[in-house]
Amino acid sequence: MNKIVEVLPDKAILIARALDVVVSKMQAAIEENGWCTIALAGGSTPKPLYEAIATQALQWDKVHVFWGDERYVGADHPDSNQRMARLAWLNQVSIPEANIHPMPTSGENPAADAEEHQAQLRDFFKTSQEEFPNFDVILLGIGDDAHTASLFPHTEALQVKEQLVTVGNKDGQPRITFTATLINHAKCVMFLVAGAGKQQALAEIFAPEADPLTYPARLIQPQGELWWLLDQEAGKNLNR
Ligand code: 6PG
């Protein structure tokens, strides 16, 4: 694992730095493989990054967009991560609809929808039951409780190692989420963290010893690159 930690002066500069790194990796993947695969984080932090990516001159027909987790709501629900990314980015560019791979959340059965998305991923990446796809980029955030994606503290999802996708649980509300194992198979994982509210979570995540079941972002130890892009507010007291 190649870990890069950068503390940027403010969120705008953090987003600009993230744009530079993410777009260069997308372009490199397209040049090398003919396409790129990126899985998006939800929440509020990455929205300006998605707006900025929409301004870039990328070969959109070669870009495939996924989500690392999704709230178990319809695609037009205000809480939908898919809705946020479509409004901020995907609706603004000429990306084919077939290149957009949302997590299914329309059923009544989160476990079945997680299975369905897992099958969709295996079909897209042409991987066997034993293999894990290698996303070019996976974007993540952390909550104040040190969760990431929808891997929340002391939930069953943290124990799911052999699957690509599973059901997360936030205070009893179901989520669909990549497993830590799938995330750790990415070529590049990038955390975007901003705001003083994340300081304590970061301190626990970066501490030499801490329980990953209590601080799930600690489970993210990818075989590829691990980027932590922090603004000063979040990262100023961090022992890196
Ligand atoms: C989600 C996210 C989640 C998010 C963190 C941080 O569906 O909410 O995927 O893991 O990244 O909760 O959220 P903020 O960026 O809003 O602080």
Side-chain angles (χ1 to χ4, degrees), residues 41-46 69-71 81 140-143 147-150 175 198:
S44 57
T45 303
D69 74 315
E70 184 59 274
R71 291 85 182 275
N81 291 335
L140 295 172
I142 60 167
H147 82 263
T148 191
S150 282
R175 301 276 192 94
K198 304 289 172 70

Side-chain angles (χ1 to χ4, degrees), residues 64-78:
H64 285 268
V65 176
F66 302 77
W67 280 261
D69 74 315
E70 184 59 274
R71 291 85 182 275
Y72 203 64
V73 294
D76 57 356
H77 190 284

Side-chain angles (χ1 to χ4, degrees), residues 173-195:
Q173 294 304 311
R175 301 276 192 94
I176 309 293
T177 186
F178 281 6
T179 61
T181 313
L182 176 56
I183 295 169
N184 285 333
H185 277 77
K187 297 171 187 169
C188 173
V189 176
M190 177 183 283
F191 282 95
L192 299 174
V193 185

Side-chain angles (χ1 to χ4, degrees), residues 137-157:
V137 179
I138 296 183
L139 300 176
L140 295 172
I142 60 167
D144 295 358
D145 61 357
H147 82 263
T148 191
S150 282
L151 301 169
F152 289 91
H154 301 293
T155 57
E156 288 178 23

Side-chain angles (χ1 to χ4, degrees), residues 113-132:
D113 280 331
E115 283 277 344
E116 169 61 20
H117 194 53
Q118 178 163 273
Q120 291 168 348
L121 293 178
R122 286 192 168 126
D123 179 52
F124 177 84
F125 285 95
K126 303 288 184 274
T127 48
S128 70
Q129 300 280 323
E130 292 70 41
E131 293 173 303
F132 285 83

Side-chain angles (χ1 to χ4, degrees), residues 145-148 150-160 167-172 210-217 219:
D145 61 357
H147 82 263
T148 191
S150 282
L151 301 169
F152 289 91
H154 301 293
T155 57
E156 288 178 23
L158 305 186
Q159 310 294 343
V160 179
V167 178
N169 178 331
K170 178 179 183 178
D171 305 330
D211 175 13
L213 300 183
T214 304
Y215 306 104
L219 295 170

